Amino acid sequence: MSPELNAPGISEEDKARLTQSGIELSMQNRCGSYLQMNQDVLHAECQEEGIEVLSYRKAMEKYDWLKEYEWKAVPKDKDEITQYVASQTDPKGYVIIAHKGTKNILPIQACLYLGRETIQHVHNIIIAEEGAELHIISGCTSGGHVGQGAAHYGVSEFYIKKNAKISFTMIHTWTENIEVFPRSASIVEENGVFLSNYVCMQPVKKIQMYPTATLKGENSVARFSSIIIASPSSYLDIGSRAILEGKGASAELVTRAITKGGTIISRGQIIGKTAGTKGHLECKGLILKDGTIYAIPEIDGRVVGTELSHEAAVGKLAQEEIEYLMSRGLSEDEATATIIRGFLDVKIAGLPEALQKQIDATIDVAEKAGF
């Protein structure tokens, strides 16, 4: 087992924020870890045989063939964010490779910590080779003291080979001054499975992200699950997209969104390009205090034989449900918290128990803080 991670310069308060983001500095329940503070890579290691966690620079030095994957899922000229990351002469980020047939039971953790007013940039490549299974929890957070002008630009490329699986759970615990711009895409081959889970329940200034999964292989699968809460000062433009190209490919996109006064734009798109494909898109939103939720579902069927569906709903807490729980002995606050928790309780099929527990723990923290 790896020794405890050394995180110099991080206060006890911010270590607690790392814990909220799913990062265990003790490494007790992790098989590997990547830790980056601002632009300094402090740790990159994995104890699981056949699985590598490397810094981006070391990975490119070690494997020439990685250039075949670099900027293939996410084009470097996609937008100004990717152009900025691609222009860096000293690229940061991580490369995780699960070699053929390998599997990690305990997840790998990737921690990206922003501790000063700067642009943190990362370029990540994650590969599950044929028959491999890879489970990752990514905890992204900032110091509570970080002020205006801080931002995170993150590019992540996922490659899921034949009969392989990646589950990727990303938990954001930023502060109200941070702007965040993830850019990610995945390519899924025959019988491959990609599970993407996103949780953001703490204040943040702005997040803009729209990850895309291209299901190229026959019977490939993608599932996106998002749990988001917008504080009064937050602007969250968040969505996901699935492109169904392989025969028998299927996708499910599920979002639970709550506004406490901020703005949420919940986007979703499924494109059916091949007969025999299926996709479902679902967005449900709650307005707790005056704020805005835009739900923008798109289904784009291009051939006979693709089956696509969507549902979207935005509303408020039902008073009769609150009153019913109060009649059972709960206070109004307890009844409200119980309903909200149930609303956010999204179980992800196929997600390892350790990662589901981390999502549940994050909801616990938000509940204790009064959501």
Side-chain angles (χ1 to χ4, degrees), residues 135-168:
H135 305 292
I136 303 167
I137 182 164
S138 175
C140 304
T141 189
S142 55
H145 60 281
V146 179
Q148 297 286 346
H152 172 84
Y153 294 0
V155 176
S156 296
E157 303 185 82
F158 298 85
Y159 299 92
I160 300 92
K161 299 298 186 178
K162 181 179 179 180
N163 297 320
K165 177 180 179 179
I166 291 179
S167 65
F168 185 80

Side-chain angles (χ1 to χ4, degrees), residues 278-305:
K278 293 183 178 181
H280 179 69
L281 194 160
E282 177 184 317
C283 174
K284 293 184 178 180
L286 275 180
I287 300 176
L288 297 186
K289 296 181 180 179
D290 287 347
T292 303
I293 299 178
Y294 297 95
I296 309 176
E298 295 181 74
I299 52 176
D300 182 352
R302 300 185 182 182
V303 294
V304 174

Side-chain angles (χ1 to χ4, degrees), residues 228-230 234 236-237 257-259 262-266 292-295:
I228 54 179
I229 296 179
S234 297
L236 308 179
D237 186 343
I258 293 176
T259 178
T263 298
I264 296 174
I265 302 174
S266 178
T292 303
I293 299 178
Y294 297 95

Side-chain angles (χ1 to χ4, degrees), residues 213-232:
T214 301
L215 304 176
K216 289 186 172 293
E218 188 171 338
N219 298 319
S220 52
V221 175
R223 296 191 184 101
F224 289 91
S225 300
S226 300
I227 299 172
I228 54 179
I229 296 179
S231 298

Side-chain angles (χ1 to χ4, degrees), residues 237-256:
D237 186 343
I238 293 174
S240 52
R241 176 193 289 122
I243 303 172
L244 310 179
E245 294 185 356
K247 183 179 180 181
S250 63
E252 184 179 39
L253 285 57
V254 176
T255 299
R256 295 290 183 269

Side-chain angles (χ1 to χ4, degrees), residues 6 180 210 248 254 312:
N6 182 25
V180 184
Y210 200 29
V254 176

Side-chain angles (χ1 to χ4, degrees), residues 89-325:
T89 56
D90 185 16
K92 303 296 182 179
Y94 57 81
V95 174
I96 300 176
I97 305 169
H99 292 286
K100 186 175 180 179
T102 58
K103 177 181 178 179
N104 65 322
I105 298 175
L106 294 176
I108 294 167
Q109 63 182 11
C111 173
L112 301 171
Y113 174 83
L114 182 57
R116 52 188 170 85
E117 291 76 15
T118 187
I119 295 177
Q120 182 185 56
H121 58 84
V122 297
H123 186 182
N124 309 316
I125 297 177
I126 302 96
I127 302 171
E129 295 183 347
E130 184 175 345
E133 192 167 319
L134 187 58
H135 305 292
I136 303 167
I137 182 164
S138 175
C140 304
T141 189
S142 55
H145 60 281
V146 179
Q148 297 286 346
H152 172 84
Y153 294 0
V155 176
S156 296
E157 303 185 82
F158 298 85
Y159 299 92
I160 300 92
K161 299 298 186 178
K162 181 179 179 180
N163 297 320
K165 177 180 179 179
I166 291 179
S167 65
F168 185 80
T169 297
M170 182 162 63
I171 299 176
H172 277 178
T173 310
W174 303 105
T175 55
E176 59 188 9
N177 295 313
I178 311 296
E179 296 189 351
V180 184
F181 300 94
R183 298 291 183 264
S184 69
S186 57
I187 297 175
V188 190
E189 298 185 7
E190 181 181 351
N191 293 317
V193 176
F194 180 58
L195 306 178
S196 175
N197 315 295
Y198 177 67
V199 181
C200 180
M201 305 179 74
Q202 300 297 323
V204 61
K205 182 178 180 180
K206 181 178 182 179
I207 299 179
Q208 197 281 319
M209 57 186 285
Y210 200 29
T212 297
T214 301
L215 304 176
K216 289 186 172 293
E218 188 171 338
N219 298 319
S220 52
V221 175
R223 296 191 184 101
F224 289 91
S225 300
S226 300
I227 299 172
I228 54 179
I229 296 179
S231 298
S233 59
S234 297
Y235 182 91
L236 308 179
D237 186 343
I238 293 174
S240 52
R241 176 193 289 122
I243 303 172
L244 310 179
E245 294 185 356
K247 183 179 180 181
S250 63
E252 184 179 39
L253 285 57
V254 176
T255 299
R256 295 290 183 269
I258 293 176
T259 178
K260 299 192 298 181
T263 298
I264 296 174
I265 302 174
S266 178
R267 305 178 189 271
Q269 183 182 40
I270 303 177
I271 302 173
K273 289 188 173 184
T274 304
T277 55
K278 293 183 178 181
H280 179 69
L281 194 160
E282 177 184 317
C283 174
K284 293 184 178 180
L286 275 180
I287 300 176
L288 297 186
K289 296 181 180 179
D290 287 347
T292 303
I293 299 178
Y294 297 95
I296 309 176
E298 295 181 74
I299 52 176
D300 182 352
R302 300 185 182 182
V303 294
V304 174
T306 185
E307 298 180 25
L308 310 177
S309 62
H310 76 76
E311 56 180 303
V314 176
K316 64 178 183 178
L317 289 174
Q319 188 62 35
E320 59 269 22
E321 292 182 11
I322 296 175
E323 292 173 353
Y324 172 78
L325 291 176

